[in-house]
Amino acid sequence: MREINDTSISLVKEKARLIRRDIIEMLGQAGSGHTGGSLSAADIVSCLYFWEMNIDAKNPMWENRDRFILSKGHAAPVLYSVLAQKGFFPSEQLKNLRKLGSPLQGHPDMKKLPGVEASTGSLGQGISWAVGMALAGKIDKKDYRVYTLLGDGEIQEGMVWEACMAASHYKLENLTAFVDYNGLQIDGPINEVMSPEPIAEKFRAFGWHVIGIDGHKYERIMEALNTSRDNKGKPTAIIANTIKGKGCSFMENKADWHGVAPKKEEVEKALEELMA
């Protein structure tokens, strides 16, 4: 069990703030991309990369590294920011988001950017990758763990549940899946578009250990990760209640910010709030 203290919480909090800054600057410069879902996931991703995961940016293909797969691939800016901050590539590259020929495309490309474990974008595929990696680790008797992050709208996809069924069948206790539960997708509230409820009960029915948390409380995220490490014989699903557009008051809880980039004056206002 990893220690949770004021120092570790302060570190991930500051890193999450910088991740949100990068997201706003990247998207503002690109003029397109997914803002709301990138911001809602920043605290979870910060805890994973700056507290939980065993990785080495100087050796991104290290055999025993922990793996993270961004199943909701459209939230790529949150992944690009944290990889840059961990030193997988120079931060200067962030300004090339969505430019022609850039390794930082609208969805992650594992062949072009170090630290990206899987090319994701088609919703539902990422957790399938994660199940395969976790199963390989178990067969090879490796100690690494596999983490994935799904959107709550994403779990409307049928293949998500096929992957969940396989994870339980193979008792993948080395697999942890976060659900970024912000309640909104591009067309509006998830429960109006196609309700995935009851989410926790569905994961339990598929044989998973389920934990519910506030996805913006660092201590709760860390506690859930410690619990998932101690869990035996089952994969773990962490249902994280989050706020779409978290950190920027005029974006929060608004589906309109799903796939819209901020304009110049909106970038300035967002950065003023985030850096206050």
Side-chain angles (χ1 to χ4, degrees):
M1 179 173 292
R2 294 189 173 176
E3 182 181 3
I4 302 170
N5 53 44
D6 291 344
T7 301
S8 57
I9 291 173
S10 294
L11 172 65
V12 296
K13 180 179 180 181
E14 175 60 14
K15 292 298 184 182
R17 189 169 75 115
L18 297 177
I19 289 169
R20 288 192 167 96
R21 176 205 64 187
D22 287 348
I23 291 168
I24 294 298
E25 289 181 342
M26 271 189 281
L27 289 165
Q29 197 155 26
S32 65
H34 292 81
T35 309
S38 297
L39 292 171
S40 67
D43 297 314
I44 296 168
V45 171
S46 181
C47 286
L48 282 170
Y49 277 85
F50 291 100
W51 184 76
E52 171 72 0
M53 290 172 57
N54 191 20
I55 53 177
D56 182 359
K58 294 180 180 177
N59 188 9
M61 298 307 291
W62 174 39
E63 187 178 3
N64 294 318
R65 70 192 183 283
D66 289 337
R67 276 80 166 166
F68 172 73
I69 298 173
L70 183 66
S71 197
K72 48 177 247 177
H74 55 277
V78 72
L79 178 60
Y80 296 156
S81 172
V82 78
L83 289 178
Q85 290 195 40
K86 288 295 292 187
F88 282 90
F89 58 87
S91 296
E92 290 73 21
Q93 286 195 30
L94 294 177
K95 64 184 179 184
N96 295 321
L97 175 70
R98 286 182 168 239
K99 289 185 177 177
L100 187 64
S102 167
L104 281 69
Q105 288 300 302
H107 294 84
D109 187 336
M110 62 184 290
K111 294 183 178 179
K112 293 183 177 177
L113 200 65
V116 174
E117 296 285 355
S119 300
T120 52
S122 298
L123 295 177
Q125 286 187 342
I127 188 171
S128 301
W129 278 84
V131 168
M133 288 181 180
L135 180 57
K138 188 170 182 178
I139 291 171
D140 293 341
K141 301 187 185 309
K142 298 291 186 181
D143 292 330
Y144 70 75
R145 295 185 60 79
V146 181
Y147 303 89
T148 186
L149 176 67
L150 299 113
D152 49 4
E154 180 183 6
I155 64 175
Q156 296 161 346
E157 302 287 344
M159 67 185 299
V160 167
W161 301 104
E162 293 181 60
C164 287
M165 182 168 56
S168 175
H169 176 79
Y170 291 111
K171 298 179 172 46
L172 299 181
E173 60 195 25
N174 57 342
L175 172 63
T176 298
F178 279 91
V179 176
D180 185 1
Y181 189 11
N182 59 46
L184 297 171
Q185 59 190 106
I186 191 167
D187 292 323
I190 59 169
N191 290 334
E192 293 180 9
V193 178
M194 181 63 70
S195 176
E197 297 287 0
I199 296 174
E201 286 81 349
K202 282 188 172 125
F203 273 97
R204 288 193 186 97
F206 275 83
W208 287 55
H209 177 64
V210 179
I211 304 168
I213 61 167
D214 181 332
H216 299 307
K217 298 290 187 184
Y218 306 107
E219 189 169 0
R220 299 289 89 76
I221 298 170
M222 293 170 171
E223 289 172 348
L225 287 167
N226 270 339
T227 301
S228 71
R229 280 186 170 274
D230 292 339
N231 179 52
K232 302 301 179 187
K234 292 182 177 181
T236 297
I238 300 176
I239 315 298
N241 289 290
T242 60
I243 296 172
K244 197 156 193 142
K246 175 68 175 177
C248 302
S249 61
F250 59 99
M251 297 182 184
E252 290 187 354
N253 282 321
K254 293 181 179 176
D256 291 345
W257 281 101
H258 179 95
V260 175
K263 296 180 174 59
K264 183 175 183 292
E265 60 275 16
E266 293 168 330
V267 168
E268 293 172 354
K269 182 177 181 181
L271 292 178
E272 183 178 337
E273 291 184 8
L274 290 169
M275 296 296 108

